Amino acid sequence: MISVRSTELNELELLVVQDYLQKRGTTTASIYKGNGCIWVSSGSSSCPINEYFIFNDQSQLVDIQID
């Protein structure tokens, strides 16, 4: 289940992130408001994946950083 953990997200940006996750086949993730980005936490506790979706002022995706 993909859950949105923040109500302060830009709806258009959230749709872009959710579409990306769906196309990639991600079924379990949490979406948070990050520091100037949308932060997605997924994977298992033994192998967590954190992704940071960075948008410009026009809500266009400009970068995805993964750690």
Side-chain angles (χ1 to χ4, degrees):
M1 178 171 105
I2 296 177
S3 59
V4 179
R5 304 290 181 136
S6 177
T7 59
E8 301 174 16
L9 297 172
N10 176 303
E11 289 182 29
L12 178 58
E13 294 173 2
L14 179 58
L15 286 174
V16 169
V17 171
Q18 290 173 320
D19 184 58
Y20 175 88
L21 295 173
Q22 181 183 22
K23 286 180 180 176
R24 191 178 64 191
T26 300
T27 58
T28 304
S30 295
I31 301 174
Y32 303 91
K33 180 172 177 54
N35 187 14
C37 66
I38 292 181
W39 167 39
V40 176
S41 177
S42 62
S44 65
S45 59
S46 62
C47 186
I49 299 172
N50 291 303
E51 298 172 284
Y52 307 93
F53 293 78
I54 301 166
F55 294 86
N56 64 16
D57 293 338
Q58 290 81 38
S59 296
Q60 295 172 320
L61 182 63
V62 294
D63 194 16
I64 302 172
Q65 298 180 5
I66 303 169
D67 70 21

